[in-house]
Amino acid sequence: MEERVARAELRHARISARKVKIVIDTIRGKSAKEAIAILKYTNKAAAPVVEKLVKSAMANAVNNHGMDESKLYIAEIYANQGTTMKRIMPRAQGRANRIRKRTSHITVVLKEA
């Protein structure tokens, strides 16, 4: 029997992958309901973004694949570096420093237990 998977992906999220990885490491392997509860009370900038993505993956699982919401768990979750927007900040004596506004691509894969 083929194992059903539901996934959700967020590309070009305006937060660095390094910051997102701290948050996703706390929920890897947990049930989807437990993951949402953890993210709700995680005091990090990436937490609301990841929470919304997990909810989206759950909705995909239920509506598109007919999976049972109570049996879902996070099989895979990862964040890769996205494109970097480059900006400049004026400095003294006509010089300029580069500002890197980093983005990330976050992927969540859910499976049924």
Side-chain angles (χ1 to χ4, degrees):
M1 181 179 134
E2 185 190 326
E3 194 171 30
R4 293 184 297 182
V5 296
R7 60 190 298 130
E9 195 173 315
L10 174 62
R11 295 178 59 75
H12 306 290
R14 267 296 288 119
I15 187 163
S16 78
R18 184 177 177 179
K19 291 178 184 177
V20 176
K21 286 176 185 181
I22 294 167
V23 173
I24 65 177
D25 285 344
T26 62
I27 62 166
R28 187 174 283 116
K30 303 241 187 334
S31 74
K33 294 264 189 196
E34 188 183 352
I36 288 172
I38 291 167
L39 291 168
K40 195 175 288 303
Y41 296 103
T42 301
N43 190 19
K44 290 281 185 187
V49 176
V50 176
E51 182 184 353
K52 191 172 180 181
L53 192 62
V54 171
K55 285 180 179 176
S56 175
M58 286 174 70
N60 290 343
V62 173
N63 295 318
N64 300 346
H65 303 292
M67 296 161 89
D68 183 10
E69 191 174 314
S70 62
K71 293 180 182 176
L72 294 175
Y73 72 97
I74 297 175
E76 282 181 58
I77 184 166
Y78 51 89
N80 296 323
Q81 189 172 328
T83 55
T84 301
M85 296 187 289
K86 293 170 182 90
R87 303 290 181 261
I88 61 159
M89 177 182 280
R91 304 305 291 186
Q93 299 180 5
R95 295 180 175 91
N97 278 2
R98 178 162 282 175
I99 297 174
R100 292 176 207 85
K101 294 181 178 271
R102 298 182 188 274
T103 64
S104 57
H105 304 318
I106 312 165
T107 306
V108 178
V109 178
L110 301 180
K111 291 183 182 175
E112 259 183 334

